Amino acid sequence: MNVSRIALAGGVAASTVLILAGTASAHVSVQPQGEAAKGGYATINFKVPNERDNASTTKLEVNFPTDHPLASVMPQPVPGWKIVVTKSKLAKPLEVHGNKINEAVSKVTWSAEGSKNGLGIRPGQFQQFPLSVGQLPEDADQLVFKAIQTYDNKDVVRWIEEQKDGAEEPESPAPVLKLTAATTDEHGAADHKAGAAGADRTKDEHTEASSASSSSSDTTARVLGIVGILIGAAGVAFGVLAGRRRTA
């Protein structure tokens, strides 16, 4: 009896853990492809799972942070979805690559298009919505994107609650993009060094070739000079012999 009760309690506990884990993970999130380094550009994906058993997700609105506006936001086309990028004027212009930017993207909206049967994100499925964004701020460790998910039965879920330090994860957390430390682009430096090394090798090869060519020319000149001397000596000897024959 005790063994059965322990097994039953263990099964209930395990089921509870699985249910809680599924609930905690089933929210709109954002992740970079690779890294999202401070001061750089990145491709990020908003992952949207369907939490309903009897409805499809037909709309996603992602609001961009106003404290760290992003001047460049380019969505990747998603089949079956219409994309609208909304821009707003900035209270304080941004300076990007020496140019002043007076407006930035404030919201991106994806709306499902197509037939009713295949519309949107269906139950038991998820969808990713990619964006290319930048220039990422250098004075922040993360960016918070507040999202609104709409279902075809008119249900609306607002993923807008920000995580507070030391507190448990909120019921409807806002997607958070973690930023990594700024990286130095060593690729260009490596190319520069390789190019310089290649130029030095080319210069050395050219010098060696020139030296070899010069040495070859000197050798040829000396050989021709010796041949000329021998021919000249032979000519003198022939002239002397011819003169003796005439005298005799």
Side-chain angles (χ1 to χ4, degrees):
M1 179 67 71
N2 291 336
V3 174
S4 299
R5 289 178 179 177
I6 293 172
L8 179 60
V12 171
S15 299
T16 303
V17 170
L18 289 175
I19 291 172
L20 291 176
T23 303
S25 61
H27 55 72
V28 176
S29 60
V30 59
Q31 292 292 334
Q33 291 183 9
E35 290 187 348
K38 297 178 181 180
Y41 291 78
T43 298
I44 60 177
N45 284 319
F46 285 92
K47 182 179 179 180
V48 183
N50 192 321
E51 294 185 308
R52 300 290 186 268
D53 296 328
N54 57 355
S56 296
T57 296
T58 55
K59 187 177 181 181
L60 175 69
E61 299 173 63
V62 174
N63 294 280
F64 282 67
T66 57
D67 53 345
H68 295 290
L70 301 175
S72 175
V73 177
M74 292 187 295
Q76 179 177 314
V78 179
W81 293 82
K82 176 185 177 182
I83 306 173
V84 176
V85 178
T86 304
K87 294 184 178 182
S88 300
K89 286 193 174 183
L90 298 173
K92 182 180 179 181
L94 293 175
E95 186 168 338
V96 180
H97 304 304
N99 298 321
K100 285 189 176 182
I101 306 298
N102 295 315
E103 62 179 12
V105 172
S106 56
K107 182 172 67 174
V108 177
T109 304
W110 290 266
S111 301
E113 295 182 319
S115 63
K116 180 66 177 178
N117 293 332
L119 193 66
I121 308 169
R122 305 183 72 181
Q125 299 179 350
F126 76 93
Q127 177 68 52
Q128 295 195 83
F129 299 94
L131 292 173
S132 174
V133 298
Q135 185 173 3
L136 298 174
E138 298 179 358
D139 57 348
D141 295 323
Q142 64 181 29
L143 293 177
V144 178
F145 299 86
K146 296 184 178 182
I148 300 175
Q149 182 179 9
T150 303
Y151 291 87
D152 59 6
N153 64 355
K154 306 303 180 182
D155 283 352
V156 176
V157 181
R158 302 179 185 276
W159 305 99
I160 60 175
E161 298 179 66
E162 297 189 37
Q163 177 72 48
K164 295 182 180 179
D165 294 339
E168 295 183 359
E169 183 181 62
E171 184 178 351
S172 300
V176 176
L177 177 66
K178 300 291 186 181
L179 303 183
T180 59
T183 57
T184 303
D185 185 9
E186 298 178 354
H187 183 69
D191 288 346
H192 176 72
K193 290 178 181 178
D200 290 341
R201 285 196 299 271
T202 303
K203 182 179 179 180
D204 292 341
E205 291 170 358
H206 178 72
T207 302
E208 291 175 1
S210 298
S211 298
S213 177
S214 177
S215 176
S216 177
S217 299
D218 292 344
T219 301
T220 302
R222 285 196 292 270
V223 170
L224 291 176
I226 293 171
V227 171
I229 292 173
L230 292 176
I231 293 175
V236 172
F238 179 78
V240 171
L241 290 175
R244 288 180 181 179
R245 288 176 182 175
R246 285 195 296 273
T247 302

